[in-house]
Amino acid sequence: MVKTIEPKKVEEKLANSEKLSIIDVRKDEEVAKGMIPGAAHIPLDEIPERFNEIPKDEEHVMVCRSGGRSGKAAQFLQEKGYSVLNMSGGMLEWNGQTEPKK
């Protein structure tokens, strides 16, 4: 089970100048619309080939649109021995948005 962190808590840590490793796993076109300042971008489908680029001695906050893809990335990395948190609610909550009604 991957631990989660709320977007509000991530914002607080950044506001307090805490060093955070944030990895955004959304697609290029999603990231082009904005991302968390200082976040790295590795699309979810590239994580299996690129995880060696991620330092193993830090804790990482995984981010996507709503928390699903980042959860998969976090699970993968956790199984590889990484310390990871999944940002619950993703960028939808970060931006103060909610899922559109269907």
Side-chain angles (χ1 to χ4, degrees):
M1 187 75 181
V2 174
K3 293 180 190 163
T4 60
I5 186 169
E6 293 182 8
K8 186 170 47 183
K9 191 76 178 157
V10 173
E11 286 186 76
E12 286 171 14
K13 286 177 175 281
L14 290 173
N16 292 333
S17 300
E18 287 184 45
K19 186 180 181 311
L20 272 187
S21 171
I22 301 170
I23 301 173
D24 194 320
V25 299
R26 296 175 297 156
K27 295 181 188 310
D28 292 342
E29 56 271 18
E30 292 174 289
V31 168
K33 295 174 185 166
M35 59 192 285
I36 297 171
H41 176 226
I42 304 177
L44 176 61
D45 58 356
E46 295 179 19
I47 292 281
E49 302 94 61
R50 296 180 58 191
F51 73 90
N52 288 331
E53 296 173 27
I54 303 168
K56 220 170 189 171
D57 59 349
E58 297 175 36
E59 184 173 68
H60 305 282
V61 177
M62 308 306 291
V63 177
C64 71
R65 181 174 165 272
S66 62
R69 285 174 285 174
S70 55
K72 289 178 184 166
Q75 184 69 47
F76 175 85
L77 290 170
Q78 186 171 283
E79 288 169 5
K80 298 284 184 196
Y82 286 81
S83 175
V84 289
L85 297 168
N86 184 25
M87 190 172 87
S88 59
M91 291 301 286
L92 288 175
E93 281 194 27
W94 176 269
N95 291 324
Q97 302 172 6
T98 53
E99 274 298 318
K101 302 260 188 283
K102 299 226 181 267

